[in-house]
Amino acid sequence: MAGVADDPDEEEHAHVLKNSAFLLQLVCLFCALCIGLLIKHYKIYWLHEAGATLLLGILVGLVIWGANTTDKVTEWLDFNEEVFFFLLLPPIIFESGFSLQTRDFFNNFGGICGLAFVGTMISTFFIGFFVWLCGLVGICYHLSFLHSLIFGALISATDPVTVLAIFQELGVNIDLYSLVFGESVLNDAVAIVMYRTLLNFNDAPVTFLSLLSACAFFVLIFIGSMLVGTFYAVVVTVFFKLMGGGLLESHTHIEASLVMIAPYCAYATAEALSLSGIVAILFCGIVMAQYTRPNLSVDSQRNTQVIFKVLATLAETFVFIYMGVAMFLEPQAWTTIPFAVVGIIACMLGRALNVFPVTHQINKLRKVGRRIPKEHIWALWVVGLRGAIAFALASSSIKDLGPESGRVIRTATLMIILFTVLTVGGGCHALVEKLDLRAPSQWIDMDADGGNGNNGNASADNDTSGGG
């Protein structure tokens, strides 16, 4: 009977802990957003909002660890991959597509696809082979070849939200901005599908037939998901085309609500069909930006842009806070730090083997006036930050690959994210000045319509930044 009597007290204690943890998350979000405002106001370029948010999370995690309350709080602050992929990630990815300036995106579409598809595959296999080889010779922790390739796939997911925000504030060349933005948008989707494709080999032998099957699986997942997202975007476009008029204009809150349903329908349908919801919602956003948005009322065009930007900002901020907290809240494989160092070197070399050969081939296929300048190529190499997607996939790897390999991968991923966000993000202003990345677009004089109205530069008025 004593145990029964204690149950209400335990439930009450759990209720208090749960709400305290939720309150802590809200306070951290509030503080992170305020710090971001101060950084923008005082033009602190050596530390960006993402880096400050990450450091705030580390501080909170250190306090929780120091107070010896880790075990009690972890249950309620634990990172849930399902919550991330179904609740936090969709608005980030959709906002990236929906806020896309399609003209600049499609002007650079060939280069973007080359970097996102070919470049990501080069990066995946090089990083995987490099860390496997270093493990084999005893330099760092030894992962199996398949697990090394899976690590290469997830760590190839770039997340240059920090770089894009700084590029936008400084008004960098619009072609460079579009290349970085477009690559990050497609790169995340490619990395996720690559991760899922390689996981299939975890339970099956590698044969010539299985390799062909994996290639077919990759193409099927990507094209199928793209068609699902495009289908819903076309359906909602036709709906607003037919329903346009006084009815929706007088009820803009309903109009904006209807816009928000379509991408989640695309995401849910793709996942139900065992496709990629991320790819579906991305292409849903891209197509809706081009065709649905012009059919909305003026108020709804503005409102939907703001709503999705708010959701994406909250989701991104939460993820960066948690990444910092996770350093002390989650069990880490700290003894494998040499693996993280090798991973950082592999990422830099893999990025170089991605960017330089791919851009060289792109320039060979382009006319002289439309080639990517060498300053932009160097910038593309430098700005390959890692972030939310890589961390979420690394967290999933604990379940997918087992705790031993998974914890090594997650610890290394956290270290790489911390390094790239703080060093590369903090050095972006110096990079812009050093390489003169504010130079106007060389394409403007070649365009029949005389440019895009911003003299070939990204600016704060053209708010197209988003997650990668």
Side-chain angles (χ1 to χ4, degrees):
M1 296 295 293
V4 175
D6 289 341
D7 283 345
D9 292 336
E10 291 178 5
E11 290 179 5
E12 179 65 24
H13 183 62
H15 180 73
V16 170
L17 275 178
K18 179 171 66 175
N19 285 281
S20 299
F22 183 58
L23 177 62
L24 177 62
Q25 293 174 37
L26 293 177
V27 170
C28 287
L29 278 172
F30 180 84
C31 292
L33 294 171
C34 289
I35 291 170
L37 282 175
L38 291 174
I39 289 173
K40 286 180 179 292
H41 179 73
Y42 290 105
K43 299 185 185 301
I44 303 173
Y45 294 122
W46 55 268
L47 179 65
H48 196 257
E49 294 102 300
T53 303
L54 198 56
L55 293 174
L56 175 64
I58 292 173
L59 177 62
V60 171
L62 183 61
V63 170
I64 294 173
W65 177 77
N68 200 27
T69 58
T70 305
D71 294 336
K72 298 176 183 177
V73 177
T74 298
E75 182 182 355
W76 305 111
L77 289 180
D78 194 19
F79 185 79
N80 188 312
E81 293 82 21
E82 291 186 0
V83 171
F84 176 80
F85 280 107
F86 283 92
L87 185 63
L88 298 177
L89 189 56
I92 295 174
I93 299 297
F94 179 77
E95 196 272 337
S96 296
F98 194 66
S99 65
L100 195 68
Q101 298 300 305
T102 52
R103 179 182 178 278
D104 299 321
F105 177 81
F106 287 110
N107 270 347
N108 291 280
F109 190 67
I112 288 168
C113 287
L115 290 166
F117 287 92
V118 179
T120 302
M121 290 184 184
I122 291 172
S123 176
T124 295
F125 286 100
F126 175 81
I127 293 173
F129 179 77
F130 188 85
V131 297
W132 172 78
L133 187 61
C134 288
L136 194 65
V137 299
I139 296 175
C140 64
Y141 181 87
H142 179 56
L143 286 177
S144 70
F145 188 65
L146 176 61
H147 289 189
S148 297
L149 287 179
I150 290 172
F151 172 70
L154 69 88
I155 207 64
S156 293
T158 58
D159 184 17
V161 59
T162 301
V163 176
L164 290 172
I166 293 176
F167 276 9
Q168 196 172 64
E169 290 168 12
L170 299 178
V172 302
N173 178 280
I174 191 64
D175 292 330
L176 173 61
Y177 184 90
S178 298
L179 277 172
V180 174
F181 180 75
E183 184 211 355
S184 70
V185 165
L186 289 180
N187 163 273
D188 287 345
V190 173
I192 290 171
V193 177
M194 281 285 291
Y195 178 88
R196 290 179 56 181
T197 302
L198 290 169
L199 272 181
N200 290 336
F201 291 108
N202 209 29
D203 302 316
V206 179
T207 63
F208 179 73
L209 188 61
S210 65
L211 289 173
L212 287 179
S213 176
C215 294
F217 177 79
F218 179 88
V219 174
L220 176 65
I221 291 289
F222 209 94
I223 294 179
S225 304
M226 182 177 66
L227 291 175
V228 169
T230 303
F231 170 77
Y232 277 100
V234 170
V235 168
V236 77
T237 299
V238 172
F239 173 80
F240 283 111
K241 186 80 171 176
L242 296 176
M243 291 291 292
L247 178 62
L248 289 177
E249 286 184 3
S250 58
H251 299 87
T252 54
H253 63 291
I254 296 178
E255 187 179 23
S257 300
L258 291 171
V259 172
M260 296 182 67
I261 292 174
Y264 275 98
C265 286
Y267 187 91
T269 301
E271 290 294 328
L273 295 173
S274 298
L275 300 172
S276 172
I278 297 305
V279 177
I281 204 170
L282 168 62
F283 280 93
C284 184
I286 292 173
V287 177
M288 285 179 67
Q290 178 72 11
Y291 298 105
T292 306
R293 191 159 52 198
N295 290 295
L296 301 176
S297 64
V298 175
D299 287 343
S300 289
Q301 289 184 34
R302 182 182 65 253
N303 292 342
T304 52
Q305 192 96 10
V306 172
I307 290 169
F308 284 115
K309 187 64 179 177
V310 167
L311 292 175
T313 300
L314 290 173
E316 288 167 353
T317 305
F318 172 79
V319 172
F320 273 101
I321 289 172
Y322 181 77
M323 284 191 287
V325 172
M327 284 197 154
F328 296 95
L329 207 61
E330 297 284 349
Q332 305 296 341
W334 295 117
T335 56
T336 60
I337 287 180
F339 181 87
V341 175
V342 168
I344 291 172
I345 296 170
C347 286
M348 294 172 65
L349 295 175
R351 183 72 181 169
L353 287 174
N354 165 352
V355 171
F356 293 108
V358 172
T359 52
H360 176 72
Q361 291 301 315
I362 291 168
N363 281 342
K364 286 175 67 175
L365 297 173
R366 283 185 172 184
K367 296 178 181 178
V368 175
R370 292 188 181 269
R371 289 176 180 168
I372 304 171
K374 65 178 184 300
E375 293 83 5
H376 292 191
I377 295 173
W378 281 104
L380 284 167
W381 173 57
V382 172
V383 299
L385 280 75
R386 271 63 177 179
I389 304 293
F391 177 72
L393 292 175
S395 297
S396 297
S397 72
I398 295 176
K399 178 179 65 178
D400 296 332
L401 306 179
E404 186 177 352
S405 294
R407 286 201 177 113
V408 171
I409 288 173
R410 186 176 64 182
T411 301
T413 302
L414 272 172
M415 299 294 289
I416 292 169
I417 291 169
L418 187 64
F419 174 80
T420 57
V421 169
L422 293 180
T423 58
V424 179
C428 273
H429 183 262
L431 180 73
V432 171
E433 298 297 334
K434 178 72 175 177
L435 298 179
D436 190 24
L437 300 180
R438 291 192 181 97
S441 174
Q442 60 181 329
W443 291 20
I444 289 183
D445 294 335
M446 302 178 65
D447 289 331
D449 60 2
N452 58 9
N454 62 2
N455 294 324
N457 297 91
S459 66
D461 295 330
N462 180 23
D463 194 357
T464 60
S465 65

